[in-house]
Each structure stands twice: as structure tokens, then as C-alpha cells.
Amino acid sequence: MRIQLHHSYFSPVRAGHERRLHCLAEQFLRRGIHVTVVAPENGVDDSLSYTSQGLHIAAHPSAFTSFPYSTLDPVMYSRRVERWFRQSLQTEPPDMVLCFSYYYVIAAKHVWPSAQVCFLPGGVMWDWFNDLTAHRSPAVRALLRPKRRLSVWAENRAVQVADKLYVESDWLTKRLTESYAVAEEKISVLPAPVDTNRFQPSPMHRNAIRDELGIGPNTKVILALGRLDARKNYTVLLRAVAQLSKKDWILLFVGSGPQEQELRNIGRGLGIEDKLLFAGRRADPERVYPSADLYCQPSLWESYSNALQEAVSCGLPCIISDSNVNRDLLDGVNVLLANPLDPIAWAQRIDLLLSDVHLARKLGANARSFAETRPSWSDLADWLLNGFPGGTATDPLGSP
């Protein structure tokens, strides 16, 4: 069997769909399947390490352009990738193509009409663009409006030509079927897996990471893990922690991105510069989560977040935006929800978890229990290959 995985990045230190590509590729390889990853040349960090494991990397030139031509990228990207497919991937049609971006769906179906092409979107284009423009000027929003329309048109085209749609939550199913009528007959929910053996509470990791980063054993660590960019909305988190009544805390940022210096400057302006710790990108998140006392994810919009799943699996009490796609996490049961635009609401909830040890432990224990009910990556690979045992096409867990 031959399977291709298509996405704009293939790097294990990234989260979201990029990490899912790695986990699925590993599961398929274990089953003796021929696996090819298709990604741009600048989206693959270390081809040699992957090919040595038996994975095939097909890296194409980046098809993105610069403004003003980039406004046409939603349409032209697919055509450029399709042209490269025809010139460079002159092989037998794959048995299955898993595409994590709409332009790969369109290109793959044009080149291999007989192949089963599956679309695994992380969200709906309208939502992505509403988030993208939330922090920009009116002038930039006006410039992006044509690109948004083309992106929605192209996503609609991908939904039409894809053989199957796989999403990670009932909420995303609702958004897709509201946006595209044809989606309803193709869509299935695949709950996002989390490796509960890798991501689990660990006093050993807690002590080791704190020693490494110079954090005292009694200091409360508020963890934010992810790319440092405007979509993650960390400016609201900074304004929230500046209002905390508790004093013995550290806000630990794990990740890198274009907003790092801006966040440092904001922290300095708020007088909390000495309370911020930027640890950069790390390849050992399973050791980082247990070092924290709570996890915060104030994103303006988020797909089904791997980082949140991992924090939950590590038994951390979590505060997340009420705009998060992870709608099967319940406010007051296994997480706390907060308005991503309200720093006061975030400050109140952080203060609550830092002061109410009983509530923090309860949320953390419930979060870990929730994670333990999730399917494994092996389950997900089996469902993709063999269908959905014990349930309907939209209910792989077989729950009523």
C-alpha cells in the first residue's frame, strides 16, 4: 500500500497538524506501508533523518508569493503544486492521500483522480481569516479581503473534490457543514489522539526542568507553550498576570516566533520583566509540562490544539479561550474557559487556580482522566486504514 501525506510543514518541533503528520507517518511505517511526505523545501527541517527511517520525502519549491501577487495564492498555489506533481512525481497513483491543506487536495485529485484523497482541515477558512485580521489595521483587513474570498472559494472546491473529510470535533463538523453543504455526506469525526504514556505527570521531570531553568521548588509556574505570534494572543496573558494578587509566580514561555521581542517589551512596560522566562523552542515538551502548575492558552482562535491535549494529559489545570475548538472540554469540569479579549477574566481565573489548591488538583485529575479516554495514534491509523470498528462512520469510539 502507498500513502502520501501532504502539508506545508513537516517538522516535529511544531505542534498541530505537523505533529500529527509525524505520528501518522510513524504508525504507517510500522505497518510496512510505503509512506511519502509532500511538503515545501522550506517546510522540512531534516530530510536525511527521516529518509533513514524509511520515510520518503518529496519536497517541492515553495509556491507562495509576495504581496500583491500573494492575494492570488489560494488559487495559484494549487496549480503550481499540481504542475510540480506532474513533472516530479511520475509514479503510480497512491492508494490514499491525506491532505492537511486545501490546495493539496485540489492538486492531488486533479493529478490522481482514481486515488482516495482525504481532506483533514484544522478549521474553516472564514474562521482562520477572522482570526488573522483581528489584530491588524483596517487597511490591512481591506487588502486581505479578496484573499479571504479566494481562500473560501478554494476550500469549497477542496471539500467538493475530496473523497472524505476527517475532523477532530463535533464543533468543527458543525462549522464545515454550515459553510459547505456537500461536507455533510463526506465528514467523519476522528478524535485527536494524545500519547498518555509520553505525556503524564512526573515529579522527576518537574524537579529536573525547574533546576535546569533556575526556578525554585515553591514558585508557581504559569506555562504558555506555542509559537510566539499575534494569533496566540499572549499580550492579553501578560496584561492578566500583571494584575495577579499572588507574587511568587513565573510566566514560562516555551516556543519562538516573531512576537518574542514585542512580548518582552510589553512585559517591561508592565513592570513584570523579571517574572517572564522565555525558554525558546524545545523538543522535550513531555518534560516541560510537569514543571508547571497551570497551563494557559489565550488564543484568539485555535484548531484542535495538540499542546492543550498534552497539557491535559499531564494533569495540568488549564485555562483556555472560550473560542477554542476543543469544545469537548467542559468549563469547571476539566478546564476553565475565559474570554480571550478580557485580561481581567484571565487574571481572576489564574488567581483562583493559584490560590485554590483543591480546585486546581480537581481540574488536573479530571483533565488526566479525560485524556485517558482518548484513542491512541495506533487506533487512528487503524481507523483510517480499515474503517471505524464498533461505531458509526462519524463515531469511531462507538459511544451512543
Side-chain angles (χ1 to χ4, degrees):
M1 188 175 187
R2 306 170 71 88
I3 291 180
Q4 291 188 8
L5 306 174
H6 295 191
H7 195 32
S8 51
Y9 288 101
F10 188 69
S11 172
V13 295
R14 290 180 177 269
H17 277 152
E18 292 80 34
R19 192 173 300 169
R20 289 178 191 128
L21 259 73
H22 277 263
C23 294
L24 284 174
E26 180 181 347
Q27 291 295 328
F28 292 147
L29 288 173
R30 288 179 180 177
R31 290 161 172 77
I33 295 171
H34 184 283
V35 181
T36 300
V37 169
V38 175
E41 292 169 345
N42 59 357
V44 182
D45 60 343
D46 186 3
S47 297
L48 183 59
S49 67
Y50 305 131
T51 55
S52 65
Q53 301 171 30
L55 193 63
H56 298 267
I57 301 291
H60 62 81
S62 176
F64 286 120
T65 56
S66 301
F67 185 82
Y69 306 104
S70 59
T71 56
L72 298 177
D73 277 349
V75 175
M76 298 307 297
Y77 196 105
S78 296
R79 297 183 181 179
R80 297 179 191 119
V81 171
E82 178 183 341
R83 190 181 309 119
W84 181 84
F85 280 173
R86 295 186 186 280
Q87 294 173 349
S88 304
L89 291 184
Q90 298 177 358
T91 62
E92 295 181 13
D95 299 289
M96 180 187 293
V97 184
L98 301 179
C99 301
F100 294 79
S101 300
Y102 62 83
Y103 34 82
Y104 285 113
V105 177
I106 298 170
K109 202 60 183 176
H110 282 176
V111 176
W112 302 297
S114 63
Q116 179 173 269
V117 177
C118 306
F119 186 18
L120 295 83
V124 178
M125 273 295 113
W126 278 112
D127 294 332
W128 281 117
F129 269 88
N130 286 341
D131 158 55
L132 178 65
T133 60
H135 60 281
R136 294 177 182 265
S137 68
V140 174
R141 289 200 295 272
L143 291 172
L144 286 172
R145 204 166 287 134
K147 186 173 183 178
R148 178 173 64 181
R149 292 195 185 100
L150 284 177
S151 296
V152 171
W153 177 88
E155 184 177 62
N156 181 44
R157 179 62 181 156
V159 170
Q160 289 177 346
V161 303
D163 296 291
K164 294 184 178 181
L165 303 175
Y166 294 122
V167 296
E168 296 150 328
S169 70
D170 291 331
W171 183 85
L172 190 49
T173 298
K174 180 174 180 291
R175 290 294 295 122
L176 276 167
T177 53
E178 286 173 347
S179 302
Y180 311 113
V182 71
E184 187 169 4
E185 64 192 45
K186 302 179 178 185
I187 204 163
S188 298
V189 176
L190 290 181
V194 60
D195 187 343
T196 53
N197 291 321
R198 179 184 177 190
F199 296 97
Q200 60 179 306
S202 171
M204 179 181 69
H205 289 334
R206 177 182 177 85
N207 296 333
I209 291 295
R210 283 174 173 250
D211 288 345
E212 177 185 331
L213 298 178
I215 302 173
N218 298 320
T219 299
K220 297 292 186 179
V221 174
I222 304 163
L223 175 63
L225 187 148
R227 180 172 168 78
L228 304 182
D229 63 20
R231 181 170 62 84
K232 296 300 185 181
N233 198 33
Y234 289 137
T235 56
V236 163
L237 184 56
L238 289 177
R239 293 187 171 93
V241 297
Q243 304 176 49
L244 295 180
S245 59
K246 294 282 185 181
K247 301 303 179 185
D248 191 15
W249 56 267
I250 285 287
L251 175 54
L252 172 60
F253 286 107
V254 176
S256 62
Q259 206 184 22
E260 180 174 339
Q261 189 56 51
E262 179 184 350
L263 295 175
R264 290 180 183 272
N265 293 341
I266 292 173
R268 187 179 303 112
L270 292 169
I272 57 171
E273 183 179 13
D274 62 334
K275 294 286 190 179
L276 307 181
L277 181 56
F278 292 84
R281 294 168 62 174
R282 296 186 63 111
D284 58 347
E286 70 278 6
R287 298 178 64 239
V288 174
Y289 292 111
S291 71
D293 294 282
L294 65 97
Y295 177 78
C296 289
Q297 190 177 79
S299 304
L300 292 169
W301 195 90
E302 192 79 48
S303 62
Y304 212 99
S305 167
N306 272 6
L308 176 57
Q309 289 280 95
E310 293 160 1
V312 162
S313 184
C314 287
L316 281 180
C318 299
I319 307 173
I320 65 174
S321 296
D322 57 15
S323 60
N324 205 289
V325 172
N326 296 42
R327 299 297 175 91
D328 44 8
L329 291 165
L330 302 176
D331 187 31
V333 177
N334 41 34
V335 295
L336 294 182
L337 301 181
N339 183 339
L341 302 180
D342 186 354
I344 295 177
W346 282 83
Q348 291 171 341
R349 286 158 178 77
I350 295 171
D351 254 334
L352 176 62
L353 291 183
L354 292 181
S355 58
D356 191 335
V357 177
H358 175 73
L359 176 60
R361 287 177 178 169
K362 176 185 174 183
L363 287 177
N366 289 346
R368 174 65 186 180
S369 296
F370 170 84
E372 290 173 343
T373 68
R374 309 299 288 175
S376 67
W377 287 107
S378 179
D379 292 333
L380 184 60
D382 287 340
W383 289 330
L384 287 168
L385 294 172
N386 305 317
F388 306 103
T392 67
T394 57
D395 183 14
L397 292 179
S399 58

